[in-house]
Amino acid sequence: MRPVIEVEDLSFAYPGRPVLRNVRFQVFAGERVGLAGANGSGKSTLLWCLAGLLPAQGVRIFGESPSRLAPGRLGFVFQNPEDQLFMPTVLEDLMLPLMQSGEAREAARERAAARLDQFGLSALAGEPASHLSPGERKRAALAQALARNPELLLLDEPTAELDGRSARMLGQALRNLAITQVIAGHDLRFLARVAERLIILGEGTVVFDGPLRSALRRRELLCRAGLI
């Protein structure tokens, strides 16, 4: 079975600042993988490389370069929902990617409304994202990322600014999704709820890749990685 994600010797640097060094791993269909590391370890940069938002050599998604990936196969949830929710209403935020894919307006409206209902947001469909609570905005951003039924979902720090109840609701929503997921963050308790495997970045390279439960027992590793 071919991997959904193939990363082979990926290195990336911003001007004057190396971030990723010889990163390599694979992710297979149906896996939920946590991507952990301290602030500045390269988690967000790695996700952006996977999504094709940054140019990078050594990345294949469904066997293709990210820049050649068919629209809709990959969904991305940004750390800040404001980066993807900017239409006058949340319903229109979800309609936008559907209409960009050529779907008729009324059909897009029906599908967007159904997805909002799935995440308990129907009552807020006519509101702008700025009127939603942080937890509601995160769920709306997730609903939008799933609007075109992607096969792969990437999430960047999904629990940022969330209280415990909102994080639990988001975790349940992710567990209910039968698609491949890579979830970046440093909240190990949250990652333990949703992922079975953990990749840890330290100073821009992979320092651990294996069962999440095994990583949680390695206190020295977690300390070195800045996670505890």
Side-chain angles (χ1 to χ4, degrees):
M1 181 172 62
R2 184 163 196 168
V4 171
I5 298 173
E6 300 170 87
V7 178
E8 186 71 24
D9 292 329
L10 167 64
S11 295
F12 185 87
Y14 297 107
R17 183 167 67 93
V19 180
L20 300 174
R21 298 182 297 107
N22 305 118
V23 173
R24 57 171 61 193
F25 63 89
Q26 296 179 338
V27 176
F28 290 87
E31 281 194 289
R32 288 198 301 268
V33 180
L35 177 63
N39 290 336
S41 62
K43 301 186 301 297
S44 294
T45 297
L46 177 53
L47 285 191
W48 283 53
C49 290
L50 297 181
L53 300 173
L54 290 174
Q57 300 293 321
V59 177
R60 290 288 180 271
I61 308 294
F62 301 109
E64 298 275 3
S65 167
S67 62
R68 301 184 61 184
L69 195 63
R73 296 194 78 183
L74 183 151
F76 196 104
V77 179
F78 290 83
Q79 180 174 348
N80 298 312
E82 294 79 7
D83 291 338
Q84 64 191 99
L85 303 174
F86 48 79
M87 296 293 284
T89 68
V90 174
L91 179 64
E92 290 170 287
D93 279 315
L94 269 72
M95 291 172 60
L96 181 62
L98 296 171
M99 294 175 64
Q100 288 176 331
S101 295
E103 198 154 328
R105 184 175 184 82
E106 284 309 309
R109 180 182 295 275
E110 289 181 10
R111 284 185 61 187
R115 186 67 80 176
L116 286 174
D117 182 62
Q118 177 187 354
F119 286 92
L121 296 169
S122 293
L124 300 170
E127 299 288 336
S130 59
H131 289 186
L132 276 60
S133 71
E136 291 165 343
R137 283 197 295 271
K138 287 287 188 178
R139 282 186 285 139
L142 176 57
Q144 191 214 44
L146 296 170
R148 291 189 288 187
N149 297 316
E151 301 164 69
L152 170 63
L153 182 65
L154 308 178
L155 301 100
D156 191 6
E157 298 282 2
T159 60
E161 300 184 26
L162 295 191
D163 59 24
R165 179 176 181 272
S166 296
R168 287 194 300 274
M169 292 177 67
L170 180 62
Q172 184 61 55
L174 294 177
R175 286 195 299 273
N176 289 339
L177 297 175
I179 62 173
T180 310
Q181 302 171 43
V182 178
I183 307 147
H186 55 265
D187 184 343
L188 294 177
R189 287 186 299 177
F190 178 79
L191 293 178
R193 293 191 195 117
V194 297
E196 299 89 17
R197 174 182 164 198
L198 187 66
I199 295 172
I200 299 177
L201 292 182
E203 298 182 353
T205 194
V206 175
V207 297
F208 178 87
D209 182 358
L212 188 144
R213 298 294 177 184
S214 174
L216 295 182
R217 293 192 293 267
R218 297 179 60 178
R219 186 175 180 83
E220 183 181 346
L221 167 69
L222 299 179
C223 285
R224 288 201 314 269
L227 291 168
I228 59 174

